[in-house]
Amino acid sequence: MNTLPLYRQLANHYLDAIRSGTLKTGERLPSIRLMMEKHAVSLSTAVQVCRELEDYGVLEARPRSGNYIRQPDTPTRPVALIQPPPLDTGVYVGIHEHVSTVLKASQQATIKVNLASAYCAPQLYPLKVLQDNMIKALRQDQHLFDTTGSTCGNSALRNVLARRMLTAKTHLTADRIVITHGATEAINLALRAVTQPGDTVAVESPTFYGLLQILESLNLRVLEVAASAHAGIELPALEHLLQGPERIKALIVIPNLHNPLGSIMPDTHKARLVKLCAEHDTVLIEDDTYGDLVDTEQPLSTLKHWDRTDNVIYCASLNKTLAPGLRLGWISAGKWHDRVEMLKHTQTRGCEKLSQLAVSAFMGTPSYERYLRRLRKTLTQQRQHMSAAILRYFPEGTRVTNPRGGTLLWVELPVQHSSMALFQEALNVGIQISPGDIFSNAKRFKNFVRIGCGTPYSPRIDEALQTLGRLLKNQG
Amino acid sequence: MNTLPLYRQLANHYLDAIRSGTLKTGERLPSIRLMMEKHAVSLSTAVQVCRELEDYGVLEARPRSGNYIRQPDTPTRPVALIQPPPLDTGVYVGIHEHVSTVLKASQQATIKVNLASAYCAPQLYPLKVLQDNMIKALRQDQHLFDTTGSTCGNSALRNVLARRMLTAKTHLTADRIVITHGATEAINLALRAVTQPGDTVAVESPTFYGLLQILESLNLRVLEVAASAHAGIELPALEHLLQGPERIKALIVIPNLHNPLGSIMPDTHKARLVKLCAEHDTVLIEDDTYGDLVDTEQPLSTLKHWDRTDNVIYCASLNKTLAPGLRLGWISAGKWHDRVEMLKHTQTRGCEKLSQLAVSAFMGTPSYERYLRRLRKTLTQQRQHMSAAILRYFPEGTRVTNPRGGTLLWVELPVQHSSMALFQEALNVGIQISPGDIFSNAKRFKNFVRIGCGTPYSPRIDEALQTLGRLLKNQG
């Protein structure tokens, strides 16, 4: 029985048609009037179908002309359009050996060009300011290491973070924030607070392999839900799953500048996702580590913004935006705040004060916004260079995402290519990439590669991409 | 059926006699010859009985005279001799609410004199050296926050720690050490590596309440094993438990300067404990956070030193010896190293580099040993002052431990007194103490108090102890 609302059934119907090529770019979508007639639906339903397709970025409204199919935000060639996977029945893996093997191989190799990192190049980060702030704090206060810090973290930093969130239309009170050792510990605490070992947790597919590792270390069952580069997690697929027999305790989503997809969920999707999870009593864990790297000045909304029932746990990190060597993240756990605070206390106690002081001193000034603006512009250029080079050097049929921010490109190779083989061959010549395989327990992305664009474009990188292209062409 | 070796059965027999007052201080123990005759045992067994009693600190051999009962190491009045408790059948508590309530009450009160802390006073720590080292590191190296640190920690610090362990006759290789956020994270990782929720873990009774909180946060069942201020965990009681029906997955022990008992396990006990755990396939987790604060120059041996089967997980912290505000500990997990490394990676990633650099620069120099020597002398004096004042001001019948190092005294009040009532009354007048209740899930220490001696003795502290004495006398 299909329990989706009519307008979503119809939207999915057209999405399938677009994906399969039945409706091609530039073609006109049936008019509202025709839809009402053909599908026997109301005006409001037909309008909702069009909005839905616009949210997915596949529809363009031309004034006085109609709705046309478009390939969203891709200047040169089609974006990687990932087919929704078969719904997994839950993949439980004791230790994510595959990821570990890949990461270990990279550590042992001599790397000349690293295209696997999600970080920016060191010279793009405000490292000097941060180090100077630390020296200043160490000079001014002889009592920095006198006492153990508060379990929840420095109040100065928590205040700065709460104030910044207001611009993302998200109201968090500082005393409900806990500073953590990166987003890793934040997500760890969120999962420990709301699940038991053996519980099932859903994630996007693909998703950041670090999340898969955390889930496995906590003995949680993982269900993968299809996600697309246009709009993130596919809500119909999720809804289907939530209505299924398996109780899903929590869902982890990267709504803004998804790793590796680069997707940004449309606001309508965010609102609907939050509602859906609340209805099914599934805790929604939001990883907003990359949101600040969006191209535009206007901040992206968070899932927490749409949360009316305190069912969203907000997690984020500062080390992608400030410094790779900082271990600072944070969590705002809604109604689970007390439990998260208790778990933080018994897991690592409060974080050391010094980095928190240095960071809050910087984030509290206008220079932080100026720095972010510069960084965003730089990253936009770097992604454009990389994207163009990949399309130039890689085999015919390669497709690249065109995210609206961040450091990551998700590259779909023609289906006969193996990204694991490319990973090994590249490592042999000192180039590091992230093979698609590690972004899913179900190994669904064998012909995908994640390419980091954090480093300013240079002949060295150009040559590395050329080498990758050659290796691929040699694969046949 | 009593399955203890004969010499231990006999030793327990005499220990009971001493505890119950049947054999009094200064009295002579039956001679070896008499023992052989009366108990029908061999010469070797009788000698072993005497050694056992010596290890417990209750026997003194006088040349050409015989073995005499003594009260170990107590200059003024008897040490708190804790009766072995009835063996618990496993106390499972979801959240250690009692500890949380006590700690929260302390946080909310205005504290004028803190006698609850296990730390030294700030002025006793080398805080200036550490902060100067940090400033130096920040000036010298512009790349401290360029990259994420190694999961296992800085190699410089791991090397210094491994070298220092050699003096405690413990050989650890630096690459099997993982730097953690304090001993809290070390023990957390150890438990996550070797247990599943619902498993049973044994601890000493009393033990540091922080351990009880960790165990509860991991949903582990806790079995408490009697421990004494003379020799730590009671091995006969443990052996009995290990032979019982309940599978004990792990045992956490603080062998050196136990918190709160101050006990140091005799080497023979350490050796036997390690063997016992190996025989019963119970992982032995050692918390050696306080060992470096021993009065004597000669380092104490670790349980790891006696480990022949890699069954001991060594955990320690640097924040009791160096600075309360540092969050640095470490773990050497023997055959579970790989699993601990994986869990550290998914829990918090590697620790930030700066504190590790500052600490290893200091610990690698002779000034560190000089500093420790000074600290030890200071602590010895402070404990003596505090102990004398407690015996002066507290009610008749109060007994105080006389540990050979560290910052802690464990005070046994006459049985009609309530340490929780004292805690509340003291808090009302701005004095913070640790009530005995929180050192056991079974609430076995209602008339015990832990007093911290980390702060140089002063009229202020004298007055606080006098006030505590008055409050107790008012209790009746």
Side-chain angles (χ1 to χ4, degrees), chain B residues 307-324:
Chain B
D307 184 19
R308 300 289 167 269
T309 60
D310 226 7
N311 188 50
V312 174
I313 300 184
Y314 180 89
C315 300
S317 165
L318 298 173
N319 48 331
K320 290 288 186 304
T321 37
L322 280 175

Side-chain angles (χ1 to χ4, degrees), chain B residues 12 15 19 51-58 70 72-73 79-82 204-206 225-236 238 253-258 261-273 303 401-404:
Chain B
N12 286 348
L15 277 174
R19 279 185 193 127
R51 282 215 188 118
E52 185 81 359
L53 295 174
E54 275 185 75
D55 281 348
Y56 271 97
V58 295
R70 67 188 287 258
D73 308 324
V79 164
L81 251 176
I82 298 136
E204 295 150 311
S205 185
V225 184
S228 81
H230 304 136
I233 193 164
E234 303 231 341
L235 294 177
L238 175 67
V253 165
I254 309 174
N256 296 327
L257 295 175
H258 184 274
L261 289 170
S263 53
I264 296 172
M265 287 183 74
D267 276 354
T268 49
H269 285 217
K270 285 175 179 163
R272 204 197 303 158
L273 174 63
L303 296 176
T401 51
N402 185 25
R404 294 183 3 224

Side-chain angles (χ1 to χ4, degrees), chain B residues 395-459:
Chain B
E396 181 72 28
T398 295
R399 303 199 291 178
V400 185
T401 51
N402 185 25
R404 294 183 3 224
T407 58
L408 300 173
L409 294 178
W410 185 235
V411 180
E412 182 177 2
L413 306 169
V415 72
Q416 72 272 21
H417 288 287
S418 152
S419 71
M420 267 310 292
L422 180 65
F423 166 76
Q424 285 299 350
E425 292 155 8
L427 219 53
N428 293 342
V429 293
I431 303 170
Q432 190 182 347
I433 58 166
S434 303
D437 297 52
I438 61 176
F439 295 87
S440 155
N441 280 346
K443 306 198 175 158
R444 293 177 49 245
F445 302 96
K446 290 181 178 302
N447 58 320
F448 286 77
V449 178
R450 193 191 73 178
I451 298 284
C453 309
T455 304
Y457 205 72
S458 67

Side-chain angles (χ1 to χ4, degrees), chain A residues 356-472:
Chain A
Q356 297 183 65
L357 282 177
V359 164
S360 59
F362 178 53
M363 287 182 78
T365 64
S367 3
Y368 178 60
E369 278 305 329
R370 278 200 300 276
Y371 149 72
L372 274 185
R373 265 200 294 278
R374 266 199 315 277
L375 181 65
R376 286 169 186 145
K377 271 191 197 145
T378 311
L379 291 181
T380 309
Q381 288 168 2
Q382 288 174 195
R383 284 198 318 274
Q384 280 167 358
H385 279 299
M386 297 287 278
S387 175
I390 290 168
L391 292 172
R392 188 158 60 239
Y393 298 130
F394 280 31
E396 182 73 29
T398 296
R399 304 200 289 179
V400 185
T401 52
N402 185 27
R404 291 178 14 222
T407 59
L408 300 173
L409 295 178
W410 185 235
V411 181
E412 181 176 4
L413 305 169
V415 72
Q416 71 274 20
H417 289 286
S418 152
S419 71
M420 267 311 292
L422 179 64
F423 166 75
Q424 284 299 349
E425 293 156 8
L427 219 52
N428 293 341
V429 293
I431 303 170
Q432 190 183 346
I433 58 166
S434 302
D437 296 53
I438 62 176
F439 294 86
S440 154
N441 280 345
K443 305 198 177 159
R444 294 177 50 244
F445 302 97
K446 290 180 178 301
N447 59 320
F448 286 78
V449 179
R450 192 192 74 179
I451 297 285
C453 309
T455 305
Y457 205 71
S458 66
R460 206 178 148 83
I461 290 181
D462 192 85
E463 203 189 323
L465 289 171
Q466 211 170 337
T467 305
L468 291 178
R470 202 174 49 245
L471 291 171
L472 281 170

Side-chain angles (χ1 to χ4, degrees), chain A residues 169 266-268 270-272 274-275 301-309 312:
Chain A
K169 293 185 286 183
D267 276 354
T268 50
K270 285 176 179 163
R272 204 197 302 157
V274 169
K275 200 157 167 279
S301 81
T302 64
L303 296 178
K304 192 73 195 164
H305 165 69
W306 303 97
D307 184 19
R308 299 289 166 269
T309 60
V312 174

Side-chain angles (χ1 to χ4, degrees), chain A residues 174-430:
Chain A
D175 61 4
R176 306 291 277 181
I177 288 174
V178 179
I179 306 296
T180 59
H181 295 290
T184 300
E185 190 181 30
I187 289 162
N188 217 288
L189 292 171
L191 287 168
R192 287 187 63 198
V194 303
T195 67
Q196 301 282 345
D199 281 351
T200 300
V201 173
V203 297
E204 294 151 311
S205 186
T207 196
F208 173 44
Y209 51 81
L211 295 182
L212 298 174
Q213 290 179 301
I214 295 173
L215 288 161
E216 286 160 13
S217 77
L218 293 169
N219 291 333
L220 292 163
R221 290 166 58 83
V222 179
L223 271 179
E224 302 190 2
V225 184
S228 80
H230 303 136
I233 194 163
E234 304 231 340
L235 294 177
L238 175 67
E239 194 159 10
H240 186 92
L241 210 61
L242 289 172
Q243 287 163 351
E246 179 134 13
R247 167 94 179 89
I248 298 174
K249 268 290 187 67
L251 165 68
I252 310 180
V253 164
I254 309 173
N256 296 327
L257 296 175
H258 184 274
N259 177 355
L261 288 170
S263 52
I264 296 171
M265 287 183 73
D267 276 354
T268 50
H269 285 217
K270 285 176 179 163
R272 204 197 302 157
L273 175 62
V274 169
K275 200 157 167 279
L276 204 55
C277 286
E279 280 164 11
H280 288 85
D281 200 18
T282 294
V283 182
L284 182 50
I285 300 172
E286 161 172 38
D287 178 4
D288 193 23
T289 292
Y290 315 93
D292 268 345
L293 299 180
V294 67
D295 288 343
T296 50
E297 284 302 303
Q298 210 201 342
L300 299 169
S301 81
T302 64
L303 296 178
K304 192 73 195 164
H305 165 69
W306 303 97
D307 184 19
R308 299 289 166 269
T309 60
D310 226 8
N311 187 51
V312 174
I313 299 184
Y314 180 89
C315 300
S317 165
L318 298 173
N319 50 329
K320 291 288 186 303
T321 38
L322 279 175
L326 275 184
R327 291 305 305 153
L328 286 179
W330 50 296
I331 179 170
S332 182
K335 60 184 159 202
W336 295 279
H337 171 80
D338 287 350
R339 184 157 164 76
V340 162
E341 183 180 345
M342 187 273 282
L343 290 171
K344 170 68 176 155
H345 181 76
T346 61
Q347 183 157 299
T348 51
R349 299 274 194 278
C351 298
E352 285 181 12
K353 291 172 201 162
L354 183 61
S355 320
Q356 297 183 65
L357 282 177
V359 164
S360 59
F362 178 53
M363 287 182 78
T365 64
S367 3
Y368 178 60
E369 278 305 329
R370 278 200 300 276
Y371 149 72
L372 274 185
R373 265 200 294 278
R374 266 199 315 277
L375 181 65
R376 286 169 186 145
K377 271 191 197 145
T378 311
L379 291 181
T380 309
Q381 288 168 2
Q382 288 174 195
R383 284 198 318 274
Q384 280 167 358
H385 279 299
M386 297 287 278
S387 175
I390 290 168
L391 292 172
R392 188 158 60 239
Y393 298 130
F394 280 31
E396 182 73 29
T398 296
R399 304 200 289 179
V400 185
T401 52
N402 185 27
R404 291 178 14 222
T407 59
L408 300 173
L409 295 178
W410 185 235
V411 181
E412 181 176 4
L413 305 169
V415 72
Q416 71 274 20
H417 289 286
S418 152
S419 71
M420 267 311 292
L422 179 64
F423 166 75
Q424 284 299 349
E425 293 156 8
L427 219 52
N428 293 341
V429 293

Side-chain angles (χ1 to χ4, degrees), chain B residues 157-173:
Chain B
L157 179 56
R158 293 153 73 198
N159 283 327
V160 166
L161 292 171
R163 268 203 305 279
R164 265 191 66 76
M165 289 304 288
L166 287 177
T167 62
K169 295 185 286 182
T170 308
H171 182 67
L172 298 177
T173 46

